């Protein structure tokens, strides 16, 4: 019998990969036949985490066959998922994002919550099953939460995320999780030798906003000047992406993890959405938004509202 495939979204981040591995361990300990997969290459931050806890990355998956049983982690939208998903059988969704255009032919188990990270939900599932995660998997879940909440600085962060990190750090034997988290974030900011298209693709998601397709990429960095020097290259790549995918707007959210804010680079015919959403004026296609660090909570819903108005 074929195993159930568990995977996160395309252009996987630390939460997507680590939560996939964590849920796979839980399901395996519960006696289920499951297999972890990923839908893209592992980024620098996630590579740091996997190397640190000596865990192999999940196997790459490009498409699923008809009737393949799957569990979606850290996403629910078809555009962010594997090719062939429309013909697969979705058994479960574990997510902390908004649900968009999500429908199935049969009932689905959904574990969703308004927390900062999918791993916070999965840790709760471990507790409900009265199972303690392995030291390595606890470290992965701790890392995912620290990553998704930007060391608790993101507005998406909740007290449940903070408590989960404390408990997971104890299981993982990581006493100074804040120092570890900063090393992890800095490891993920290295963009040396990457092209503008590669950087944009690190964490890129497409959204339907009132009938229009919008692409939003986000990178965390401590080298803001180095990124801004590449603005023209980014604009050329984003223009090409718009044309190839019928996007009316592409955004690159460049988050300064020290100053806790972001530059928004906007390219496309609907730049006005950014100006409406934040009551700002783009200068040379870019604007600084102080305190904006979360795509999920401070970018996507704000743009959604602007598109509807």
């Amino acid at each position: 019998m074929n195993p159930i495939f568990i995977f996160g979204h395309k252009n996987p981040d630390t939460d997507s990969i680590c939560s996939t591995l964590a849920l796979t361990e839980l399901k395996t300990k519960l006696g289920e036949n499951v297999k972890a997969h990923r839908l893209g290459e592992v980024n620098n931050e996630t590579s740091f985490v996997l190397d640190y806890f000596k865990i192999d990355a999940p196997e790459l998956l490009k498409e699923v066959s008809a009737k393949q049983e799957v569990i979606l982690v850290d996403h629910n939208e078809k555009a962010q998922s594997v090719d062939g998903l429309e013909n697969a059988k979705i058994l479960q969704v574990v997510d902390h994002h908004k649900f968009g255009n999500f429908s199935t032919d049969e009932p689905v188990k959904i574990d969703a919550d308004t927390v900062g990270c999918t791993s916070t939900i999965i840790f709760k599932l471990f507790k409900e099953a009265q199972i303690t995660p392995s030291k390595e998997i606890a470290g992965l879940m701790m890392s995912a939460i620290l990553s998704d909440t930007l060391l608790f600085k993101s507005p998406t962060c909740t007290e449940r995320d903070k408590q989960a990190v404390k408990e997971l750090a104890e299981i993982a034997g990581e006493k100074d999780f804040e120092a570890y988290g900063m090393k992890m974030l800095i490891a993920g900011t290295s963009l040396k030798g990457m092209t503008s298209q590669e950087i944009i693709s690190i964490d890129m998601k497409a959204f339907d906003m009132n009938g229009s397709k919008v692409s939003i990429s986000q990178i965390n960095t401590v080298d803001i000047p180095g990124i801004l020097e590449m603005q023209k290259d980014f604009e050329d790549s984003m223009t090409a992406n718009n044309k190839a995918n019928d996007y009316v707007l592409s955004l690159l959210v460049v988050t300064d993890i020290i100053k806790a804010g972001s530059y928004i680079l906007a390219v496309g015919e609907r730049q006005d959405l950014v100006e409406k959403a934040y009551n700002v004026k783009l200068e040379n296609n870019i604007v600084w938004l102080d305190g904006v660090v979360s795509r999920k909570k401070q970018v996507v819903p704000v743009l959604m509202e602007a598109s509807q108005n």
Side-chain angles (χ1 to χ4, degrees):
M1 184 176 180
N2 291 332
I4 300 166
F5 289 175
I6 302 178
F7 49 82
H9 51 73
K10 291 180 179 177
N11 303 315
D13 55 11
T14 301
D15 184 17
S16 177
I17 295 289
C18 293
S19 290
T20 291
L21 290 167
L23 187 61
T24 299
E25 177 176 275
L26 175 60
K27 295 286 186 180
T28 300
K29 289 186 173 183
L30 289 171
E32 298 184 37
N33 183 20
V34 295
K35 185 176 181 181
H37 285 280
R38 57 183 167 89
L39 304 187
E41 297 307 315
V42 178
N43 65 34
N44 290 336
E45 180 188 279
T46 311
S47 293
F48 171 86
V49 173
L50 295 176
D51 289 344
Y52 190 89
F53 291 102
K54 297 179 173 58
I55 296 284
D56 292 331
E59 183 179 326
L60 182 64
L61 179 67
K62 294 185 177 180
E63 62 179 332
V64 292
S65 57
K67 305 302 180 182
Q68 171 65 51
E69 295 182 327
V70 302
I71 296 175
L72 309 185
V73 171
D74 197 35
H75 75 294
N76 62 79
E77 299 194 42
K78 180 183 173 183
Q80 299 172 11
S81 199
V82 70
D83 292 343
L85 182 68
E86 65 276 8
N87 298 316
K89 183 176 181 179
I90 302 173
L91 301 180
Q92 183 178 3
V93 177
V94 185
D95 196 10
H96 67 135
H97 295 95
K98 74 176 185 67
F99 278 71
N101 301 320
F102 180 75
S103 63
T104 61
D105 296 330
E106 299 179 39
V108 174
K109 177 175 172 54
I110 294 179
D111 294 283
D113 207 343
T114 53
V115 290
C117 180
T118 307
S119 276
T120 302
I121 301 172
I122 294 175
F123 186 43
K124 179 183 176 184
L125 297 179
F126 267 96
K127 288 184 168 184
E128 290 174 350
Q130 297 183 333
I131 294 174
T132 301
S134 65
K135 179 179 179 179
E136 293 78 12
I137 290 298
L140 262 57
M141 286 192 284
M142 174 195 72
S143 301
I145 300 169
L146 290 172
S147 173
D148 253 23
T149 65
L150 278 180
L151 302 185
F152 305 149
K153 292 179 182 178
S154 172
T156 62
C157 184
T158 68
E159 288 302 318
R160 284 176 288 171
D161 296 299
K162 294 177 182 179
Q163 183 59 35
V165 165
K166 291 176 183 177
E167 294 180 34
L168 288 166
E170 185 172 344
I171 298 170
E174 200 64 40
K175 294 181 180 180
D176 193 347
F177 59 79
E178 291 181 342
Y180 163 81
M182 182 55 71
K183 289 180 183 177
M184 175 191 69
L185 290 179
I186 291 175
T189 66
S190 176
L191 304 171
K192 186 176 180 180
M194 298 180 68
T195 66
S196 58
Q197 182 60 48
E198 288 171 339
I199 293 172
I200 290 169
S201 300
I202 289 173
D203 186 7
M204 178 170 64
K205 293 182 179 179
F207 300 89
D208 185 309
M209 297 195 178
N210 200 28
S212 297
K213 293 171 67 177
V214 176
S215 172
I216 306 177
S217 301
Q218 183 171 23
I219 57 171
N220 300 324
T221 186
V222 292
D223 182 22
I224 293 295
I227 292 297
L228 296 183
E229 285 177 3
M230 297 178 65
Q231 181 173 341
K232 179 61 168 59
D233 291 336
F234 285 130
E235 290 173 345
D236 290 344
S237 295
M238 294 161 77
T239 298
N241 288 343
N242 287 349
K243 185 176 181 180
N245 299 284
D246 294 325
Y247 297 145
V248 298
L249 179 67
S250 282
L251 300 184
L252 176 59
V253 182
V254 183
T255 300
D256 187 324
I257 62 176
I258 304 299
K259 293 183 179 179
S262 299
Y263 281 98
I264 307 290
L265 176 62
V267 175
E269 62 191 77
R270 291 305 310 273
Q271 289 179 320
D272 61 295
L273 287 179
V274 177
E275 296 182 329
K276 278 184 190 177
Y278 297 100
N279 192 26
V280 295
K281 187 69 177 177
L282 290 167
E283 294 185 12
N284 192 27
N285 300 328
I286 200 166
V287 65
W288 168 260
L289 298 178
D290 193 45
V292 173
V293 297
S294 171
R295 174 174 53 193
K296 182 182 70 173
K297 194 165 185 175
Q298 296 173 299
V299 179
V300 174
V302 180
L303 290 175
M304 283 281 192
E305 184 177 356
S307 72
Q308 291 165 356
N309 292 335

